[in-house]
């Protein structure tokens, strides 16, 4: 339950603190004083979005902080799942800076708004006037029936099966789409692959082939020039090798006359050996050069095929063609294995759908089993809140599997005797709608372990004896839940264990919303004003005292 609430620099609130009772708390005040602004602040604490327009002082940050006693609500596992420190009194904090930056903390650990919302909804149920409109919606009615039937855990288990089925179905659809796409190109891809496989390409062969072709196409010129080189170096009458040999003889004879001659002789000897080696290499190269028209044609044809493949596949090298061949191999293999993979996926979808359908049917049967009891309970409660001729009828039609099961729930209502029940949104007046919603909340409070419930003028359109009954019902709810109720009814206000008064203070430059906990006499005076206006009569005071004493 909420032990302490702090609101700083929010909307019309500069600073506000309350320490509510564990039971029934009443908040009253004039329209526009700021009661609903407090709910907006609580919404921020529960993960709602905000902007800098909510700041009272645009130069300071907004702080909303709530201390919650959570020791009796089995929430340690929920904290563990979010990797948060658990404390019996946990502190939820929200800050909005003047620049619009928002930060959230739980027990001083920074958290995302999603985490704040997930844990916050386990601590507080805030009923706003907007939420009453949800009563006419399918999802809200279904959740209400599940809470009454005690099928919430079964619904969660079904949701896991349904999610697994939808995930498998999505995978199957993806496979079929992929298969359809691959099928369009399968024949062409196979043709391209066969062409590349037949080519039997080798890495680096293009460079080797181009080099060989260059030699073969210029064989005659190469051979002529190699022979010419050999003639100059060794085959002619005055060849270079013979001249070097003669020079060696002369220098050899001079070596005995000094080290300089010996050094020159050694250098000439090295040159002579190197020239002999060059002549041998030239002779070898000359022997290998041979003009072979057939071999030349084969190389030309091979290179022509490679060039054509490169042009077709927009490739710049044989290595790129080999990579394309490997990709085509993978696509072809994928296509060939796709049928088996699709069959396997179809079997998995069928199995998971069957499991989800069985749970959905079980869920549907348990829901339908409580319709009569729920109709009776709602009818009795509606009679207590002033709609004695109310008729409630719950219908259900079957649908395809959805994330909530196979039931389309519709709660029908008639406030008048002899009038067939119709959809809530079509037949309920504003006051009837509010009372119907209160009855729903009353039932939910018995089924769900929620620490704190907040009502924002859920007693709209109620007065007199019905207001007394409504207040008594809130009093009973507050025995098991902390209840915070914003109300304009003296009959409801008199039932509170703690009474807060919200007022607008215009004594400064900027109007502020403030709140104070009323002492006993202040409470009597406030309720008397709710009965008789700003200047209540003695009768109004006596009525106020009587209402309070009747609790």
């Amino acid at each position: 339950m909420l032990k302490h609430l702090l609101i700083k620099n929010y909307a019309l609130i500069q600073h506000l603190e309350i320490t509510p009772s564990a039971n029934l708390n009443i908040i009253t005040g004039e329209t526009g004083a700021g009661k609903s602004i407090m709910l907006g602040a609580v919404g921020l604490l529960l993960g709602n979005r905000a902007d800098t327009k909510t700041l009272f002082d645009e130069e300071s940050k907004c702080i909303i902080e709530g201390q919650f006693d959570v020791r009796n609500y089995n929430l340690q596992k929920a904290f563990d799942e979010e990797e948060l420190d658990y404390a019996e009194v946990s502190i939820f904090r929200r800050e909005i800076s003047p620049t619009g930056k928002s930060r959230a903390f739980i027990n001083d650990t920074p958290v995302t708004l999603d985490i704040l919302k997930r844990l916050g909804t386990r601590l507080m149920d805030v009923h706003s006037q907007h939420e009453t409109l949800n009563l006419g919606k399918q999802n809200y009615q279904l959740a209400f029936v599940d809470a009454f039937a005690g099928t919430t855990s079964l619904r969660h288990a079904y949701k896991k099966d349904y999610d697994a089925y939808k995930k498998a179905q999505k995978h199957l659809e993806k496979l079929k789409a992929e298969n359809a796409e691959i099928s369009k190109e399968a024949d062409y891809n196979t043709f391209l692959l066969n062409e590349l496989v037949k080519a039997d390409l080798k890495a680096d062969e293009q460079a080797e082939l181009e080099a060989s072709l260059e030699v073969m196409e210029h064989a005659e010129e190469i051979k002529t020039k190699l022979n010419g080189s050999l003639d100059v170096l060794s085959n002619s009458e005055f060849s270079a090798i013979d001249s070097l040999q003669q020079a060696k003889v002369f220098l050899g004879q001079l070596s005995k006359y000094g080290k300089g001659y010996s050094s020159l002789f050694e250098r000439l000897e090295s040159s002579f050996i190197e020239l002999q080696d060059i002549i041998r290499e030239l002779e070898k190269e000359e022997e290998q050069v041979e003009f072979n028209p057939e071999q030349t044609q084969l190389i030309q044809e091979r290179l022509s095929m490679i060039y054509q493949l490169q042009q077709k596949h927009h490739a710049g090298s044989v290595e790129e063609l080999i990579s394309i061949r490997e990709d085509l191999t993978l696509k072809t293999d994928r296509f060939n294995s796709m049928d088996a993979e699709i069959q396997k996926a179809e079997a998995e979808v069928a199995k998971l759908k069957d499991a989800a359908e069985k749970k959905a049917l079980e869920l549907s049967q348990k829901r339908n089993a409580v319709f009569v009891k729920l109709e009776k309970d709602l009818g009795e409660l509606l009679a207590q809140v002033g709609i004695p001729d109310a008729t409630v009828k719950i219908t259900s039609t079957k649908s395809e599997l959805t994330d909530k099961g196979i039931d389309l729930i519709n709660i029908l209502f008639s406030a008048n005797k002899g009038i067939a029940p119709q959809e809530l949104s079509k037949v309920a007046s504003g006051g009837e709608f509010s009372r119907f919603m209160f009855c729903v909340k009353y039932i939910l409070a018995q089924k769900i372990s929620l620490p704190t419930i907040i009502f924002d003028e859920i007693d709209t359109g109620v007065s007199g004896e019905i207001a007394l009954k409504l207040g008594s019902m809130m009093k009973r709810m507050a025995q098991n839940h902390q209840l915070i109720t914003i109300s304009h009814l003296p009959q409801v206000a008199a039932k509170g264990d703690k009474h807060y008064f919200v007022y607008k203070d215009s004594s400064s430059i900027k109007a502020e919303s403030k709140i104070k906990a009323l002492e006993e006499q202040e409470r009597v005076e406030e309720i008397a004003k709710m009965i008789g206006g700003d200047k209540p009569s003695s009768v109004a005071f006596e009525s106020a005292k009587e209402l309070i004493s009747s609790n």
Side-chain angles (χ1 to χ4, degrees):
M1 67 177 183
L2 180 65
K3 288 179 65 69
H4 185 265
L5 176 66
L6 165 69
I7 304 172
K8 290 178 65 176
N9 200 39
Y10 176 75
L12 293 179
I13 299 172
Q14 185 177 34
H15 186 106
L16 179 152
E17 292 186 65
I18 63 170
T19 304
S21 161
N23 303 113
L24 180 57
N25 299 271
I26 301 296
I27 298 176
T28 63
E30 294 182 359
T31 300
K35 300 185 295 299
S36 294
I37 291 174
M38 289 177 58
L39 288 188
V42 170
L44 292 181
L45 202 59
L46 300 181
N48 291 348
R49 301 284 174 182
D51 57 45
T52 53
K53 294 178 182 177
T54 61
L55 301 183
F56 178 85
D57 176 4
E58 295 180 358
E59 302 299 320
S60 303
K61 68 180 177 181
C62 166
I63 297 174
I64 319 290
E65 183 177 282
Q67 296 181 20
F68 295 89
D69 185 343
V70 298
R71 73 189 76 191
N72 297 321
Y73 300 100
N74 300 317
L75 291 176
Q76 183 156 358
K77 183 179 178 182
F79 275 73
D80 291 342
E81 288 174 351
E82 304 292 355
E83 299 182 353
L84 293 170
D85 293 332
Y86 172 80
E88 289 185 344
V89 177
S90 288
I91 299 175
F92 284 54
R93 182 181 178 92
R94 184 82 180 274
E95 297 180 357
I96 297 112
S97 72
T99 60
K101 184 178 180 181
S102 171
R103 298 194 300 168
F105 305 86
I106 296 178
N107 294 332
D108 291 330
T109 300
V111 296
T112 65
L113 292 187
D114 286 339
I115 293 175
L116 197 69
K117 187 172 291 186
R118 282 197 293 272
L119 284 176
T121 53
R122 302 281 296 272
L123 299 174
M124 302 183 82
D125 175 45
V126 180
H127 168 269
S128 64
Q129 296 178 51
H130 170 73
E131 191 197 356
T132 300
L133 301 176
N134 290 334
L135 184 57
K137 296 179 180 178
Q138 163 70 207
N139 288 345
Y140 192 96
Q141 294 182 8
L142 195 57
F144 172 47
V145 170
D146 279 333
F148 186 82
T151 53
T152 303
S153 59
L154 177 59
R155 176 168 160 173
H156 290 328
Y158 161 76
K159 179 70 162 50
K160 287 183 179 179
D161 285 357
Y162 175 80
D163 287 345
Y165 156 61
K166 295 304 289 184
K167 183 178 179 180
Q169 189 178 56
K170 188 175 181 180
H171 175 62
L172 174 60
E173 290 170 356
K174 184 178 178 182
L175 284 178
K176 287 183 175 179
E178 185 182 354
N179 187 50
E181 191 64 29
I182 292 175
S183 296
K184 294 177 184 177
E185 302 175 354
D187 291 341
Y188 185 55
N189 284 342
T190 301
F191 167 76
L192 293 177
L193 176 60
N194 289 338
E195 188 177 46
L196 288 171
V197 169
K198 185 179 178 181
D200 192 25
L201 300 168
K202 303 291 189 298
D204 300 326
E205 72 166 310
Q206 184 177 353
E208 294 174 2
L209 289 171
E210 287 173 341
S212 296
L213 183 62
E214 183 73 12
V215 171
M216 288 184 177
E217 288 181 337
H218 299 85
E220 185 175 352
E221 178 186 354
I222 293 170
K223 200 170 186 68
T224 298
K225 290 181 178 178
L226 285 174
N227 281 321
S229 299
L230 285 169
D231 285 343
V232 171
L233 294 175
S234 66
N235 295 335
S236 65
E237 183 178 354
F238 301 103
S239 64
I241 196 72
D242 289 340
S243 299
L244 280 176
Q245 179 63 38
Q246 187 63 43
K248 271 179 59 185
V249 172
F250 291 145
L251 281 176
Q253 293 170 353
L254 295 176
S255 295
K256 59 185 178 181
Y257 297 120
K259 290 183 179 180
Y261 301 127
S262 296
S263 176
L264 288 170
F265 174 79
E266 290 172 0
R267 289 171 64 187
L268 189 60
E269 176 70 18
S270 296
S271 298
F272 182 77
I273 293 170
E274 177 67 16
L275 184 58
Q276 284 180 317
D277 189 55
I278 290 172
I279 290 169
R280 284 193 294 271
E281 288 292 329
L282 286 171
E283 289 172 344
K284 184 178 177 182
E285 290 291 336
E286 192 277 335
E287 289 174 1
Q288 290 178 349
V289 174
E290 181 182 359
F291 179 65
N292 188 334
E294 293 181 1
Q295 183 65 20
T296 301
Q297 184 177 355
L298 287 175
I299 292 176
Q300 288 174 334
E301 290 174 355
R302 178 72 176 170
L303 282 171
S304 177
M305 178 200 68
I306 290 173
Y307 296 149
Q308 288 175 1
L309 289 173
Q310 288 175 338
Q311 186 175 16
K312 177 184 285 189
H313 294 280
H314 304 288
S317 66
V318 170
E319 287 74 18
E320 287 185 38
L321 288 174
I322 291 172
S323 177
I324 291 168
R325 182 184 69 194
E326 291 171 351
D327 288 343
L328 288 170
T329 300
L330 290 175
K331 286 182 180 180
T332 304
D333 291 345
R334 178 77 174 143
F335 175 70
N336 292 334
S337 65
M338 191 65 79
D339 286 345
E341 193 170 346
I342 287 174
Q343 288 178 1
K344 182 180 178 182
E346 286 175 337
E348 180 69 7
V349 167
K351 183 182 78 171
L352 292 172
K353 184 180 181 182
D354 182 61
E357 285 177 337
K358 286 179 180 177
K359 266 203 180 69
L361 183 59
E362 180 186 359
L363 182 59
S364 179
Q365 290 170 344
K366 290 189 175 182
R367 285 167 173 168
N368 281 263
V370 303
F371 284 178
V372 173
K373 175 88 167 57
L374 182 52
E375 290 167 354
K376 179 174 177 292
D377 288 359
L378 278 171
E380 290 174 352
L381 288 172
L382 286 166
Q384 289 183 47
V385 295
I387 313 178
D389 294 325
T391 304
V392 178
K393 181 69 177 175
I394 303 173
T395 65
S396 175
T397 55
K398 295 296 180 284
S399 69
E400 294 294 322
L401 286 177
T402 71
D403 60 340
K404 297 172 181 62
I406 53 173
D407 299 295
L408 294 175
I409 299 291
N410 199 356
I411 298 178
L412 307 178
F413 169 74
S414 172
N416 302 300
K417 189 175 182 179
I419 303 298
Q422 298 179 50
E423 291 182 16
L424 276 167
S425 58
K426 294 180 179 178
V427 295
S429 66
E432 291 167 347
F433 223 79
S434 294
R435 279 177 279 175
F436 199 110
M437 185 53 140
F438 176 77
C439 293
V440 167
K441 292 286 184 178
Y442 188 87
I443 290 173
L444 285 174
Q446 301 171 48
K447 300 291 183 179
I448 300 175
S449 178
L450 263 175
T452 302
I453 299 172
I454 299 179
F455 287 139
D456 181 16
E457 300 184 12
I458 200 168
D459 49 18
T460 299
V462 175
S463 60
E465 185 66 25
I466 303 307
L468 283 171
K469 291 181 178 179
L470 200 66
S472 297
M473 291 172 73
M474 288 185 187
K475 191 77 171 178
R476 289 197 294 274
M477 285 177 70
Q479 292 174 4
N480 299 312
H481 306 270
Q482 181 186 51
L483 208 62
I484 301 174
T485 299
I486 296 174
S487 178
H488 287 293
L489 297 179
Q491 297 93 328
V492 172
K495 299 291 183 181
D497 297 290
K498 202 163 188 176
H499 189 155
Y500 290 95
F501 177 66
V502 178
Y503 62 99
K504 191 177 289 184
D505 181 358
S506 300
S507 60
S508 299
I509 296 175
K510 187 174 182 179
E512 290 182 41
S513 287
K514 294 185 177 181
I515 191 169
K516 66 177 180 177
L518 300 180
E519 300 294 338
E520 190 63 30
Q521 186 55 41
E522 291 175 318
R523 188 180 177 205
V524 171
E525 183 176 349
E526 169 62 12
I527 293 174
K529 288 181 179 180
M530 294 173 75
I531 295 171
D534 288 342
K535 296 180 179 180
S537 64
S538 58
V539 174
F541 271 98
E542 289 303 316
S543 296
K545 292 176 182 177
E546 184 179 349
L547 283 173
I548 293 171
S549 63
S550 66
N551 289 328

